């Protein structure tokens, strides 16, 4: 019977350690194992509450009580035997409480698993190793005890104690992996650079920007594919290691065009990508204060984006969306470089490539460029500059506007970028969960305005990594929400102060904060949808389960 109880206790503690390891590895992976991004995430109340959850606080409290007991009990109780008895009793109580905490954690994880809300990392090779080494580190000493003569009795108590240390061991493992990851990354980048250098006929197009780069990349790849063999970086792959892996795995000798999306969270990262792929054409879609918390200043953001332009050879072509002030500023700086060509586009009277006769409908965009009529079946007026950027590159590569017009009719946005879903005639859903920057949110709200006779609802969790501009940008977005939407659900308290300030300024009362309760959000939303023909805009991540259930309305 005792062995059965011991085995059950062992399974509970081990399950807790495994769940904790997966949980913390998930958050590290979510932030790309970057200390700067995780630090910024932990600066928000919701970030801290998610990472340092109730089980973490429980572990920390038990650890502190245990340490303080061992430090102070011998000082408070002079009798040595009584002190040992008191310390033994304290340890038994902590052991018992730890078991309860471990059991509660497993129960919570099982419940979240059944609801498809369990936090766990994608088991890539790196994540797999981190999980295994963390488990090994958490179990090494307890396992040694059970093998050591006369120590087996303390195996379970020590195992319970080590369950408190799992998040710290996990962080140390990730820190240990940093130099190994750096060396591995350097080798992969070097191999990718050599492969690119061997493909003499390959034309590389680099696209960067605070926003718009992914959409411009997608439009450009679809337009150029009518004439060229094109490879593009997929999805939101825009880091040096992500690009390098695409080069090694997918780039073939038959490819004529390689379109590279280049992103960064600090200066020097775009430069590394450019040293590897050697772009001949560079496109800057926009420069704004996104990721300001990581860059530190707008000037640092500009310097990072300008690395793409500085990497061009003398015969290279730089392109700028001068409808955006930040990109316009970089176009002026580019004139100081000895480049063969500078092309400007966008909604600006001085742009080389402009659109006229612009009309936005729910079905897409109609416009003319140099007298040629275009229709793009993509929502959102902000996508006009992205389309112009793609057309500018097409012209540079020898295509004519007449040739590109039929291809523009076929373009599509990537998933979760103003994706319009219509589960019923009375309900339209706009999935913009990939979007998380202020200009993108404003653009999505402008598109929402095209639903003139519909009830307009937004689900908004807020925007991360805006640094000192957080309050100002959320207040601006909040005022726009009050102007456009009939009702707003805010799903995080992190940005409640500026959003409430915006609501007060606009004398707007049709909003509610529903945080960490998707079931309550879904019930409230369904009650509201039953009242009128409605369109619901989902911005950024966090409410995917609600979106999925609305989409699957019978």
């Amino acid at each position: 019977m005792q062995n059965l109880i011991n085995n059950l206790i062992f399974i509970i503690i081990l399950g807790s350690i495994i769940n904790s390891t997966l949980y913390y590895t998930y958050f590290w992976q979510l932030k790309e194992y970057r200390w700067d991004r995780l630090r910024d995430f932990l600066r928000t109340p919701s970030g801290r509450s998610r990472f340092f959850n109730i089980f973490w606080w429980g572990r920390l409290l038990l650890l502190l009580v245990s340490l303080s007991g061992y430090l102070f009990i011998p000082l408070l109780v002079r009798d040595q035997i009584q002190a040992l008895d008191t310390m033994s009793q304290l340890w038994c109580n902590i052991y018992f409480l730890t078991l309860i905490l471990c059991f509660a954690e497993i129960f919570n994880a099982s419940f979240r698993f059944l609801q498809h809300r369990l936090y766990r990392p994608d088991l890539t090779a790196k994540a797999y190793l981190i999980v295994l080494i963390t488990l090994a580190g958490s179990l090494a000493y307890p396992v040694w005890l059970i093998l050591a003569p006369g120590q087996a009795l303390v195996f379970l108590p020590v195992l319970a104690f080590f369950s408190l240390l799992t998040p710290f061991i996990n962080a140390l493992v990730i820190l240990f992996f940093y130099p190994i990851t750096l060396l591995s990354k350097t080798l992969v980048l070097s191999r990718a650079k050599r492969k690119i250098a061997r493909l003499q006929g390959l034309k590389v197009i680099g696209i960067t920007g605070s926003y718009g780069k992914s959409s411009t990349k997608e439009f450009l790849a679809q337009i150029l594919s009518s004439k060229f063999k094109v490879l593009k970086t997929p999805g939101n792959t825009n880091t040096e290691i992500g690009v390098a892996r695409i080069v090694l795995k997918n780039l073939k000798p038959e490819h004529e065009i390689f379109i590279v999306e280049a992103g960064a969270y600090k200066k020097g990262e775009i430069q590394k990508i450019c040293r590897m792929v050697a772009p001949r054409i560079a496109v800057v879609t926009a420069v704004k204060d996104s990721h300001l918390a990581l860059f530190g200043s707008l000037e640092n953001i500009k310097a990072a984006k300008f690395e793409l332009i500085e990497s061009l050879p003398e015969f290279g072509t730089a392109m700028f969306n001068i409808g955006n002030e930040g990109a316009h500023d970089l176009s002026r700086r580019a004139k100081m470089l000895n480049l063969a060509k500078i092309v400007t586009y966008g909604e600006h009277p001085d742009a080389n490539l402009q659109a006229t006769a612009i009309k936005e409908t729910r079905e897409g965009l109609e416009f003319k460029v140099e007298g040629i009529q275009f229709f793009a079946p993509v929502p959102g007026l902000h996508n006009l500059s992205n389309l112009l950027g793609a057309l500018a590159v097409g012209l540079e590569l020898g295509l004519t506007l007449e040739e590109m017009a039929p291809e523009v009719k076929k373009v599509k946005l990537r998933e979760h970028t103003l994706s319009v879903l219509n589960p019923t005639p009375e309900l339209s859903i706009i999935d913009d969960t990939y979007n998380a920057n202020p200009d993108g949110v404003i653009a999505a709200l402008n598109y929402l305005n095209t639903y003139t006779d519909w009830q307009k609802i937004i689900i908004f969790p807020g925007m991360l990594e805006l640094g000192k501009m957080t309050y100002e940008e959320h207040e601006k977005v909040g005022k726009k929400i009050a102007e456009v939407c009939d009702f707003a659900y805010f799903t995080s308290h992190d940005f409640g102060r500026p959003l409430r300030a915006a609501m007060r300024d606009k004398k707007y009362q049709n909003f509610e904060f529903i945080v960490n309760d998707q079931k309550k959000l879904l019930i409230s939303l369904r009650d509201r949808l039953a009242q009128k023909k409605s369109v619901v805009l989902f911005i950024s991540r966090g409410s995917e389960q609600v979106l999925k259930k609305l989409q699957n309305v019978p």
Side-chain angles (χ1 to χ4, degrees):
M1 184 66 180
Q2 186 62 44
N3 286 338
L4 180 62
I5 294 173
N6 287 341
N7 289 337
L8 182 61
I9 291 172
F10 171 73
I11 291 170
I12 290 172
I13 299 173
L14 182 62
S16 171
I17 292 174
I18 293 172
N19 179 67
S20 181
T21 301
L22 293 171
Y23 182 83
Y24 289 106
T25 304
Y26 163 81
F27 283 105
W28 279 105
Q29 187 184 69
L30 185 68
K31 299 302 173 182
E32 300 173 337
Y33 304 104
R34 293 181 61 131
W35 296 83
D36 52 354
R37 293 198 68 197
L38 186 70
R39 183 182 65 243
D40 187 70
F41 174 66
L42 294 177
R43 284 174 176 163
T44 64
S46 65
R48 289 192 295 272
S49 66
R50 289 174 70 193
F51 192 83
F52 301 114
N53 60 20
I54 189 171
F55 303 110
W56 185 88
W57 284 109
R59 287 187 177 92
L60 181 63
L61 179 62
L62 291 173
L63 178 61
L64 292 175
V65 171
S66 176
L67 292 176
S68 62
Y70 275 88
L71 287 173
F72 294 111
I73 287 175
L75 298 176
L76 298 174
V77 182
R78 296 298 179 181
D79 183 271
Q80 187 176 1
I81 294 175
Q82 186 181 353
L84 288 173
D85 287 343
T86 304
M87 291 165 65
S88 177
Q89 185 62 46
L90 173 67
W91 172 250
C92 286
N93 291 336
I94 288 173
Y95 176 46
F96 177 71
L97 291 172
T98 302
L99 287 179
I100 293 175
L101 189 68
C102 291
F103 180 78
E105 183 180 11
I106 292 174
F107 180 82
N108 176 265
S110 302
F111 180 73
R112 294 182 71 89
F113 175 78
L114 292 174
Q115 291 190 318
H116 305 286
R117 294 191 298 117
L118 185 64
Y119 293 119
R120 59 189 177 198
D122 294 329
L123 282 180
T124 61
K126 181 176 179 178
Y128 191 76
L129 281 172
I130 288 171
V131 168
L132 287 180
I133 295 173
T134 300
L135 289 174
S138 300
L139 298 173
Y141 184 64
V143 169
W144 178 82
L145 283 176
I146 201 171
L147 297 176
Q151 300 296 315
L153 290 176
V154 296
F155 167 69
L156 288 175
V158 170
L159 181 64
F161 176 77
F162 264 73
S163 73
L164 311 178
L165 304 180
T166 302
F168 307 104
I169 295 171
N170 186 241
L172 288 173
V173 171
I174 288 166
L175 181 62
F176 169 78
F177 259 88
Y178 180 75
I180 299 172
T181 301
L182 195 61
L183 176 60
S184 172
K185 184 187 291 186
T186 302
L187 293 173
V188 170
L189 294 179
S190 178
R191 287 174 56 211
K193 183 177 180 179
R194 289 197 300 271
K195 181 174 180 179
I196 289 270
R198 290 196 299 268
L199 302 174
Q200 296 296 322
L202 183 70
K203 291 184 176 69
V204 179
I205 302 163
I207 303 176
T208 193
S210 300
Y211 56 85
K213 54 185 179 291
S214 292
S215 297
T216 302
K217 174 191 68 179
E218 296 296 331
F219 296 153
L220 179 59
Q222 292 167 53
I223 290 169
L224 295 184
S225 293
S226 63
K227 186 173 181 181
F228 302 100
K229 184 71 174 176
V230 178
L231 176 69
K232 63 178 174 67
T233 51
N236 60 347
T237 300
N238 58 23
T239 63
E240 68 267 30
I241 189 64
V243 174
R245 285 172 177 155
I246 295 302
V247 169
L248 294 175
K249 183 179 179 181
N250 300 103
L251 189 60
K252 308 296 181 186
E254 59 266 25
H255 284 123
E256 301 168 279
I257 305 288
F258 182 30
I259 307 172
V260 178
E261 179 181 334
Y265 294 108
K266 63 181 180 181
K267 289 194 293 185
E269 293 183 344
I270 291 177
Q271 185 183 65
K272 291 178 183 177
I273 297 174
C274 293
R275 285 175 180 168
M276 173 177 54
V277 301
R280 299 185 187 185
I281 298 174
V283 183
V284 179
T285 60
V287 181
K288 199 75 189 293
D289 46 15
S290 60
H291 305 304
L292 189 61
L294 301 176
F295 279 104
S297 70
L298 181 58
E299 193 53 43
N300 285 342
I301 296 174
K302 288 180 179 180
K305 305 305 180 187
F306 200 63
E307 289 168 4
L308 178 62
I309 307 303
E310 292 174 315
S311 72
L312 291 171
E314 288 187 0
F315 56 84
T317 300
M319 298 186 175
F320 301 90
N321 169 25
I322 62 171
N324 169 263
E325 182 53 41
H328 196 179
D329 183 42
L330 294 192
S331 73
R332 298 184 192 104
R333 296 187 194 184
K335 292 176 182 177
M336 306 296 291
L337 302 176
N338 189 25
L339 294 174
K341 195 173 184 181
I342 295 176
V343 177
T344 59
Y345 65 91
E347 297 178 63
H348 193 282
D350 296 333
N352 301 131
L353 198 67
Q354 302 177 41
T356 59
I358 302 164
K359 183 181 179 182
E360 180 186 21
T361 67
R362 214 180 296 167
E363 290 71 34
L365 298 171
E366 296 177 18
F367 58 97
K368 289 184 179 180
V369 178
E370 297 179 5
I372 305 300
Q373 183 69 43
F374 285 87
F375 172 75
V378 294
L381 195 58
H382 63 293
N383 274 313
L384 182 59
S385 61
N386 301 328
L387 288 161
L388 287 173
L391 293 175
V393 176
L395 289 170
E396 182 65 20
L397 293 173
L399 293 174
T400 65
L401 291 171
E402 290 86 351
E403 287 176 310
M404 290 187 282
E407 303 307 317
V408 171
K409 288 182 179 180
K410 306 173 189 175
V411 297
K412 296 178 181 179
L413 286 166
R414 59 168 294 175
E415 284 187 326
H416 313 300
T417 305
L418 277 185
S419 302
V420 180
L421 312 168
N422 297 293
T424 74
E426 300 296 313
L427 174 63
S428 187
I429 298 169
I430 302 174
D431 179 0
D432 205 27
T433 51
Y434 180 68
N435 178 20
N437 69 81
D439 290 87
V441 177
I442 297 292
L445 287 165
N446 285 332
Y447 176 67
L448 198 63
N449 249 340
T450 63
Y451 288 77
T452 50
D453 298 323
W454 296 51
Q455 176 184 215
K456 294 179 276 291
I457 299 171
I458 186 172
I459 315 293
F460 184 56
M463 303 167 290
L464 295 172
E465 298 177 353
L466 293 176
K468 61 185 180 182
M469 299 298 294
T470 296
Y471 190 99
E472 179 183 330
E473 294 290 359
H474 279 89
E475 189 175 28
K476 181 173 72 175
V477 166
K479 289 178 180 179
K480 185 69 175 180
I481 288 171
E483 290 173 8
V484 172
C485 298
D486 297 295
F487 200 88
Y489 289 100
F490 301 123
T491 57
S492 171
H493 285 309
D494 292 347
F495 315 106
R497 199 160 63 91
L499 289 171
R500 284 189 173 95
M503 302 298 110
R504 285 194 301 270
D505 184 70
K506 291 292 182 179
K507 297 180 173 56
Y508 184 80
Q509 297 181 341
N510 299 333
F511 68 93
E512 184 178 359
F513 280 83
I514 299 181
V515 180
N516 297 328
D517 194 340
Q518 294 202 29
K519 184 177 180 181
K520 181 181 178 182
L521 175 60
L522 182 63
I523 292 170
S524 177
L525 187 56
R526 278 180 170 164
D527 288 343
R528 202 165 295 281
L529 295 178
Q531 301 170 16
K532 189 179 179 182
K533 192 174 183 180
S534 304
V535 54
V536 185
L537 171 62
F538 286 83
I539 294 286
S540 195
R541 298 168 185 168
S543 301
E544 289 86 350
Q545 292 298 319
V546 175
L547 191 157
K548 192 178 294 184
K549 288 182 179 179
L550 283 182
Q551 186 180 348
N552 295 327
V553 171

